[in-house]
Amino acid sequence: MTLTHNRKPDENKTAVLAVNVGQLQALPGQKREVMSGIVKHPISSPVFLSFTGMTGDAQADLEHHGGPDKAVCVYDYSRYPALEQLMDRKLDWGACGENLTVEGCMEEEVRIGDVYELGEATVQVSQPRQPCFKLGARYDYKELPVYFQDSGHTGFYFRVLQEGEVTSSAIFRRVSTDPASMTILEANRIMHQGKQDVTGMRALLAIPTLADSWKQTLLKRLAKLGTAEQD
């Protein structure tokens, strides 16, 4: 399924609508106890953003979530209406487990390596988000992660270049971009639908600011295809 929209890109209009954090809790309806920090709620007080994430936020699976390349999960609120229609329910801020609910950061506009001013902090786009089964488990809608992947509207992660305090009213603006880099939407296409796209994978690997975990995945795929990544 592919989502469409009529909104024209406006790179000068970005805003943080909510800053969301969550603590570990057991997901309902699981055969065994599954702990997750995916249930997040907006906070009104300032929060410190460090190189590994926001104070007061938690992740259960530190191998696949959190860390320097995935310090902040970001999701654009323009995607909410389609999700609400899909699941026939109203969604609150942080509904997709994101730390920042924003506007003006859609996947076809944001590029890997883009740098943003975020309150006192400086952050950089590192990779698209890859929603796991926990997102579907939260809403008892197991197809939800696949929907995210198929649409390409996954959201993305920031790494932190400079630590600092953040609030929902903080200045949030893109301060640099590389037009030659790849959008989040195109990176998602290569990762999820273009598993035979050697040219695309090499182009993605050539982006120096791409997260290491994505680089390793792409290198393994190229190796299985019998082709080596070229410098």
Side-chain angles (χ1 to χ4, degrees):
M1 181 182 298
T2 301
L3 300 181
T4 60
H5 63 90
N6 297 317
R7 179 179 176 180
K8 294 182 179 179
D10 181 0
E11 64 181 18
N12 295 316
K13 183 181 180 182
T14 55
V16 175
L17 303 179
V19 177
N20 314 295
V21 299
Q23 290 299 301
L24 299 183
Q25 58 182 276
L27 290 174
Q30 304 302 300
K31 294 181 179 179
R32 58 179 177 82
E33 184 178 74
V34 178
M35 301 298 292
S36 175
I38 198 169
V39 179
K40 301 190 187 300
H41 303 284
I43 56 174
S44 57
S45 57
V47 62
F48 185 74
L49 177 58
S50 74
F51 292 118
T52 55
M54 293 181 176
T55 300
D57 193 47
Q59 296 86 30
D61 181 2
L62 296 179
E63 180 179 352
H64 299 100
H65 302 284
D69 277 341
K70 293 178 282 188
V72 184
C73 183
V74 186
Y75 200 66
D76 196 290
Y77 181 66
S78 67
R79 306 309 188 197
Y80 271 48
L83 292 171
E84 290 176 334
Q85 182 177 13
L86 179 71
M87 297 190 292
D88 192 24
R89 64 183 298 162
K90 181 67 177 176
L91 299 176
D92 298 322
W93 303 128
C96 298
E98 73 271 20
N99 297 113
L100 297 180
T101 309
V102 302
E103 64 175 347
C105 291
M106 293 186 292
E107 291 82 359
E108 59 267 43
E109 301 169 16
V110 174
R111 296 179 181 275
I112 296 169
D114 283 357
V115 175
Y116 287 78
E117 179 183 0
L118 175 62
E120 296 178 352
T122 304
V123 293
Q124 182 179 52
V125 179
S126 58
Q127 67 167 77
R129 180 189 184 183
Q130 288 182 276
C132 68
F133 78 96
K134 294 179 181 178
L135 181 60
R138 176 181 180 182
Y139 296 107
D140 191 25
Y141 198 99
K142 64 180 181 180
E143 300 87 358
L144 195 56
V146 175
Y147 170 84
F148 270 65
Q149 290 183 7
D150 288 349
S151 69
H153 301 163
T154 59
F156 56 92
Y157 284 104
F158 280 141
R159 65 169 58 91
V160 177
L161 303 181
Q162 177 179 306
E163 298 177 321
E165 195 172 84
V166 175
T167 66
S168 58
S169 61
I171 292 174
F172 178 52
R173 63 187 183 95
R174 182 160 55 184
V175 295
S176 70
T177 187
D178 180 1
S181 186
M182 192 175 294
T183 65
I184 293 296
L185 191 67
E186 177 62 7
N188 274 326
R189 184 199 66 77
I190 293 168
M191 178 62 76
H192 302 301
Q193 286 86 40
K195 296 182 180 181
Q196 305 294 317
D197 183 355
V198 173
T199 300
M201 285 187 280
R202 286 177 174 163
L204 192 48
L205 278 166
I207 301 172
T209 51
L210 181 67
D212 286 341
S213 62
W214 269 54
K215 290 179 180 178
Q216 294 305 314
T217 296
L218 294 168
L219 287 170
K220 289 177 182 178
R221 287 184 182 175
L222 286 173
K224 288 182 179 179
L225 291 172
T227 181
E229 188 268 331
Q230 297 178 344
D231 294 330

